Every structure is written in C-alpha cells, then in structure tokens.
Amino acid sequence: MSNEEVSKVRRVKFCPQCWNPGAAVDPMWGHVKAKFCYLCGTPIRANCANCGELVLSLRHRFCPICGCAYKTPVKIAKT
C-alpha cells in the first residue's frame, strides 16, 4: 500500500435559474444541506442536466462532454 493522499473531487453546485454565466456561484448553493435555491426555489444542480456528468467548473457555460448549456431557459409564467 502507498501512503498517497486521495483528494476529493470538488463539484460545483449552482441554481440553473439564478446563476449568471461568467459569474461566481453563490456560496449558499454550495452548502452541504442545500437542495433548493434560497432565492427562487429551483432544485440545485451539480450535474449536467443532459448527460449527468459532474460539473467541476463553471468557467464555461457548457458541459464539455455533451455541449449542453448549464443554465436552463427561464420559464415565463402565463397570466
């Protein structure tokens, strides 16, 4: 056995509605117990909605595996 330290993969949790591409994620979204956005109630994501690949960085707006945009379109409520 080797004494190498195993590092944890750091995933990024974000709200697909409130997150603005190019901006930093809100620290509240990364809380261990956060499951929903505290601003809008949308489920917090840490995986690509299309292929399920773990989001490791939001430096880019699209998943490097499938090309799907991380930010979902905002649904406009009909009145």
Side-chain angles (χ1 to χ4, degrees), residues 48 51 53-54 62-68 70:
C48 173
C51 71
E53 186 70 23
L54 196 63
F62 302 94
C63 175
I65 305 303
C66 70
C68 182
Y70 288 135

Side-chain angles (χ1 to χ4, degrees), residues 3-17:
N3 291 332
E4 293 180 31
E5 185 176 322
V6 177
S7 62
K8 268 190 168 179
V9 174
R10 302 265 324 178
R11 65 182 181 177
V12 177
K13 292 170 64 176
F14 66 102
C15 173
Q17 293 293 328

Side-chain angles (χ1 to χ4, degrees), residues 59-77:
R59 182 176 178 202
H60 303 289
R61 297 180 290 171
F62 302 94
C63 175
I65 305 303
C66 70
C68 182
Y70 288 135
K71 183 155 176 83
T72 58
V74 177
K75 295 177 182 174
I76 299 172

Side-chain angles (χ1 to χ4, degrees), residues 28-75:
M28 292 291 289
W29 297 330
H31 190 275
V32 172
K33 294 184 179 183
K35 293 188 185 334
F36 299 92
C37 179
Y38 68 98
L39 296 170
C40 71
T42 300
I44 299 292
R45 280 203 331 230
N47 299 69
C48 173
N50 187 53
C51 71
E53 186 70 23
L54 196 63
V55 177
L56 301 176
S57 170
L58 290 174
R59 182 176 178 202
H60 303 289
R61 297 180 290 171
F62 302 94
C63 175
I65 305 303
C66 70
C68 182
Y70 288 135
K71 183 155 176 83
T72 58
V74 177
K75 295 177 182 174

